[in-house]
Amino acid sequence: MDKGLHFTICVVTTVLLLRESSQAGEEKDPEVLAAPRSDSRGAAEGLPTLTVTTILEDPYVMVRGAELEGYCMDLLAALAGMLRFQYRVKVVGDGQYGAVAAGGNWTGMIGEILRREADIAVAPLTVTSAREEVVSFTTPFLQTGIGILLRKDTASQDMSFFHFLSPFSKETWTALLFAYLLTCFCLFLVARLSPREWNEPKNEENHFTFLNSLWFGAGALALQGASPRPQALSVRVIAVVWWLFTLALLAAYIANFTALLSSGSEQLPIQTFEDLVKQRNLEFGTLEGSSTFYYFKNSKNPTHQMIYEYMEKRREHVLVKTYQEAVQRVMDSNYAFIGESISQDLAAARHCNLVRAPEVIGARGFGIATTQASPWTKPLSIAVLKLRESGDLDYLRNKWWESSCLRQSRNRWGPLEPPALGGLFLTLGIGLALGILAALAELSSSSRRAAAHAKKSCCSVFTEEICTRLRIKGSARQSQETSGKANA
């Protein structure tokens, strides 16, 4: 009895050890690692199980510990909850998206769908006519295009000789020149009208000539005091407003110029694919066997044909195997990567020294691939549309495309336009108007006192004073001629 009990204990212990060893082996298997754990409740309810093929690409599918996560994994979980199915995820064996091989067979995820190794493919798989002929696609869950990914220091051109003018636009510089000339003219005019600056026009010399007014305005721009110094209230009003204007203007110029220098906001020499073809400093390529490569192969556009011929002749040097390899090559060498614009936006958000060129061509979408005549195609399409209408797809996009660095894109910093300084110009205009009104008030007050003393009309004295002050050279010449005749 004791021997039988001892034998039974040994057998049970051996079985348990073998089971633990088997489970440990499964955890090290990459295919099982990629598969999420089954839902026991779903198994009890008898829900169908789909085999899902995907590809590792940040942020769509990423390995984290013993599980997969990413945009496509969240999308797959949402679809499974809506359509009531279980799923088993496997990473594509050859690491390809899907293209026709030399023997006519399909590679990548499309090949696994055709060979019935997987039921559906949930990945950044572009919907193309060639793929649509052999498999079925659902409604696209992401819209994208073809763009150019560059490194900022290789893409940026040398600063122009007049780069110091970049903080303000041409219109702003023109408006500033006009404001300077107008302010100096108002200084000149108000100084002539004000009795405090020019009490005896026939016997005194007005220091605020037009040239002196220009010098006074330029001195304020350089934050330096310049003579002559204003004495009348009206002239001081204009001077103070101009000083405040120049302080705010210089602050805006220095801030924007510093931002332009630090953000590398100079114009990119590579704006379009045509610019990419014309330059000789950067190599360029795309993912081998991707839909982007075949887009340029089938395009009738001459520029696109030149890009395809370049990549075909140098395919061993410019075509890359994975998206991660492409991003790393852009950061490490003089290489431009042509690929999905939505993935390039993510790379530019994650790596602050990368930038995407403005032009995007070949609008396309990412869809879920199924076997032809699959009963899951239409339900999956409807479920994708519901997720889009409810805003869940936008939420997933914002979740996984969140930037990890503070980007200072070239669109954020640029030349200041006149509307950005509109309040500043308005304040200057109001100050000039107040200065002119103050000068007229000073002259009116002086004219009233002179009219009362001479017992003349106030309007006639006021008019005579204005004419005398605005035509002082002619009046002085006439007075000199009169005194000369009298002496003769």
Side-chain angles (χ1 to χ4, degrees):
M1 183 66 179
D2 293 338
K3 293 182 179 180
L5 180 60
H6 179 72
F7 177 76
T8 303
I9 293 175
C10 290
V11 171
V12 172
T13 303
T14 303
V15 171
L16 290 176
L17 290 175
L18 290 175
R19 183 178 179 181
E20 290 179 0
S21 176
S22 176
Q23 289 179 351
E26 289 179 356
E27 290 180 357
K28 296 179 182 179
D29 185 359
E31 184 170 305
V32 178
L33 175 67
R37 298 177 181 177
S38 301
D39 187 355
S40 58
R41 183 183 61 184
E45 295 177 357
L47 298 180
T49 301
L50 299 181
T51 301
V52 181
T53 180
T54 189
I55 191 170
L56 295 178
E57 181 176 331
D58 186 10
Y60 302 98
V61 180
M62 300 171 290
V63 178
R64 291 293 184 270
E67 300 288 342
L68 290 178
E69 67 175 18
Y71 179 93
C72 289
M73 292 298 98
D74 288 352
L75 174 63
L76 182 59
L79 295 175
M82 295 176 65
L83 301 180
R84 306 289 295 166
F85 65 84
Q86 298 182 95
Y87 55 91
R88 175 180 177 272
V89 182
K90 61 186 298 291
V91 178
V92 60
D94 57 6
Q96 300 292 321
Y97 289 85
V100 181
N105 297 323
W106 282 81
T107 62
M109 292 177 284
I110 300 297
E112 292 189 353
I113 296 279
L114 294 176
R115 294 190 297 270
R116 306 288 179 172
E117 297 175 7
D119 298 308
I120 61 175
V122 182
L125 191 61
T126 306
V127 180
T128 64
S129 58
R131 292 171 178 171
E132 189 73 51
E133 289 179 356
V134 294
V135 298
S136 296
F137 280 97
T138 64
T139 300
F141 56 85
L142 268 180
Q143 298 294 333
T144 183
I146 300 176
I148 308 171
L149 184 66
L150 308 159
R151 197 172 73 247
K152 286 183 178 179
D153 57 349
T154 59
S156 59
Q157 63 182 7
D158 296 334
M159 294 184 182
S160 63
F161 191 71
F162 295 98
H163 189 68
F164 68 93
L165 299 176
S166 299
F168 295 153
S169 65
K170 296 179 180 179
E171 294 79 7
T172 304
W173 284 116
T174 304
L176 292 178
L177 178 61
F178 177 77
Y180 168 69
L181 294 177
L182 179 61
T183 302
C184 294
F185 176 77
C186 288
L187 278 173
F188 165 73
L189 177 64
V190 169
R192 279 182 171 268
L193 293 177
S194 175
R196 293 291 303 275
E197 292 289 342
W198 211 10
N199 191 22
E200 302 259 349
K202 295 181 180 180
N203 301 324
E204 296 180 12
E205 181 181 355
N206 185 5
H207 296 290
F208 267 99
T209 62
F210 187 67
L211 291 178
N212 287 344
S213 299
L214 291 175
W215 178 249
F216 183 87
L221 283 173
L223 300 180
Q224 298 294 324
S227 59
R229 296 184 179 181
Q231 297 179 359
L233 175 63
S234 56
V235 182
R236 289 179 178 180
V237 168
I238 294 180
V240 169
V241 171
W242 178 245
W243 287 337
L244 294 176
F245 178 84
T246 55
L247 282 175
L249 181 69
L250 290 174
Y253 176 86
I254 294 173
N256 206 41
F257 190 53
T258 304
L260 287 170
L261 292 177
S262 62
S263 64
S265 62
E266 53 271 10
Q267 187 78 2
L268 292 176
I270 300 178
Q271 298 278 326
T272 64
F273 285 88
E274 186 175 356
D275 297 335
L276 184 64
V277 173
K278 291 180 179 179
Q279 60 82 37
R280 293 294 180 267
N281 298 326
L282 299 178
E283 292 183 320
F284 54 89
T286 186
L287 290 175
E288 183 178 3
S290 64
S291 60
T292 301
F293 179 82
Y294 289 97
Y295 173 86
F296 288 100
K297 180 180 180 180
N298 300 325
S299 176
K300 304 300 181 183
N301 188 301
T303 302
H304 299 171
Q305 280 296 309
M306 294 175 64
I307 293 176
Y308 167 72
E309 292 173 1
Y310 173 87
M311 294 190 298
E312 181 63 28
K313 291 178 182 178
R314 300 174 53 84
R315 61 182 307 142
E316 295 182 358
H317 298 89
V318 299
L319 297 184
V320 293
K321 301 293 184 181
T322 63
Y323 173 77
Q324 290 78 10
E325 178 187 350
V327 173
Q328 192 64 39
R329 186 169 177 180
V330 171
M331 292 191 296
D332 296 340
S333 62
N334 293 335
Y335 180 78
F337 173 60
I338 302 175
E340 302 292 346
S341 60
I342 191 171
S343 300
Q344 294 174 350
D345 290 338
L346 175 70
R350 299 284 176 85
H351 306 281
C352 301
N353 61 333
L354 300 182
V355 63
R356 179 175 63 80
E359 185 181 32
V360 176
I361 62 174
R364 54 183 63 188
F366 292 154
I368 300 174
T370 65
T371 57
Q372 287 187 332
S374 171
W376 292 100
T377 306
K378 187 173 182 179
L380 287 171
S381 294
I382 296 175
V384 168
L385 289 175
K386 289 181 178 179
L387 291 175
R388 179 180 301 168
E389 293 169 354
S390 63
D392 290 339
L393 293 184
D394 293 333
Y395 167 76
L396 292 180
R397 168 68 187 272
N398 296 332
K399 173 184 176 182
W400 292 103
W401 267 258
E402 183 180 3
S403 176
S404 61
C405 64
L406 180 60
R407 297 178 59 191
Q408 293 179 337
S409 66
R410 63 184 187 88
N411 293 325
R412 181 178 177 181
W413 301 106
L416 287 178
E417 299 291 339
L421 302 174
L424 199 57
F425 284 102
L426 178 61
T427 303
L428 178 62
I430 294 174
L432 297 180
L434 290 176
I436 295 175
L437 291 177
L440 293 176
E442 292 173 354
L443 185 60
S444 176
S445 177
S446 176
S447 300
R448 282 198 303 270
R449 290 194 299 268
H453 180 73
K455 297 181 179 180
K456 294 182 179 180
S457 171
C458 181
C459 292
S460 61
V461 174
F462 182 75
T463 304
E464 182 180 353
E465 284 286 338
I466 290 180
C467 294
T468 302
R469 293 174 182 279
L470 296 182
R471 300 173 183 175
I472 186 60
K473 291 184 179 181
S475 300
R477 189 180 300 111
Q478 290 177 3
S479 63
Q480 291 175 0
E481 292 176 355
T482 303
S483 62
K485 291 180 181 179
N487 293 331

